[in-house]
Amino acid sequence: MRSLNMMRLARDPSAHHHMEMSETHNYEFKFRNHATPTPWQKKRPTLITNTSGGNSSPFFLARAIALAMGIRFIVMVMICSAIIINSLLSQEAPTFLNESYCGPCPKTWLCYRNNCYQFFHERKNWFQSQAFCMSQNSSLLKIYSKEDQDFLRLVKSYHWMGLVQNPANGSWQWEDGSVVSPSQLTLVEMDNGTCAVYGSNFKGYTENCMTPNTYICMQRTV
């Protein structure tokens, strides 16, 4: 077959040229078909994803703020609760008297309407408390007037005061020998108590004299 074609080409040069053109056309057609991608071969679009490590979502930010505010609220509640509990258990004088000073009162004492007061936190029995106040040139607390000593309404806890029961007649007397009157103090008698502690709101409670309690010393300046 090849020999026959060669013979034809030798006889007809134009046929040889036609055959070369035909082969070139076929080669270009195959190259174009190979280079042109089919629809399914087209490159799909690449999805762009967020590769950053942080999360800037508004929802995440709102959750973080809410969590921080919640923690702060809990801490504030705990602090306020601790302050309230400490205030309720405190045995100190009312805060508005702190750092006050007047007249001849010792500098570490509280002065209110020309009377000097000191609240001692160590616990002693009544006799020990009385002896310590005497060493400070004072006596245990005495109620003279509800009007002049109205700050004592705010005193918390129980403190020894200078009130004892007279064993001879059973009456209640102050250290100076004067008898307590209802206008000065409401005395609530408890069992087996011959001394008295000051509670609050001008109320006293009888107590065993040997029971350790805090105490209030007082100096009269007028």
Side-chain angles (χ1 to χ4, degrees), residues 160 172 190-197 205-211 213:
W160 282 126
W172 286 88
M190 311 294 289
D191 296 337
N192 302 322
T194 56
C195 295
V197 292
Y205 300 86
T206 61
E207 178 74 278
N208 188 316
C209 296
M210 300 307 297
T211 302
N213 278 302

Side-chain angles (χ1 to χ4, degrees), residues 175-217:
E175 287 181 86
D176 59 10
S178 61
V179 178
V180 65
S181 68
S183 63
Q184 295 174 319
L185 185 77
T186 300
L187 185 63
V188 180
E189 296 192 25
M190 311 294 289
D191 296 337
N192 302 322
T194 56
C195 295
V197 292
Y198 182 82
S200 62
N201 201 28
F202 297 105
K203 289 184 179 180
Y205 300 86
T206 61
E207 178 74 278
N208 188 316
C209 296
M210 300 307 297
T211 302
N213 278 302
T214 57
Y215 54 98
I216 303 172
C217 293

Side-chain angles (χ1 to χ4, degrees), residues 129-139 175 217:
S129 302
Q130 182 193 41
F132 185 84
C133 288
M134 291 177 65
S135 72
Q136 302 295 309
N137 194 29
S138 62
S139 63
E175 287 181 86
C217 293

Side-chain angles (χ1 to χ4, degrees), residues 3-4 6 45 48 53 92-93 101 112 115 164 186 195 208 221:
S3 300
L4 179 59
M6 292 297 291
I48 300 176
E92 296 181 358
Y101 171 76
Y112 187 75
N115 291 321
V164 292
T186 300
C195 295
N208 188 316
T221 61

Side-chain angles (χ1 to χ4, degrees), residues 18-37:
H18 176 75
M19 182 177 183
E20 287 181 347
M21 293 294 295
S22 177
E23 289 179 353
T24 301
H25 181 268
N26 291 338
Y27 175 78
E28 289 179 353
F29 178 78
K30 291 180 180 181
F31 176 78
R32 290 176 183 176
N33 288 342
H34 177 74
T36 304

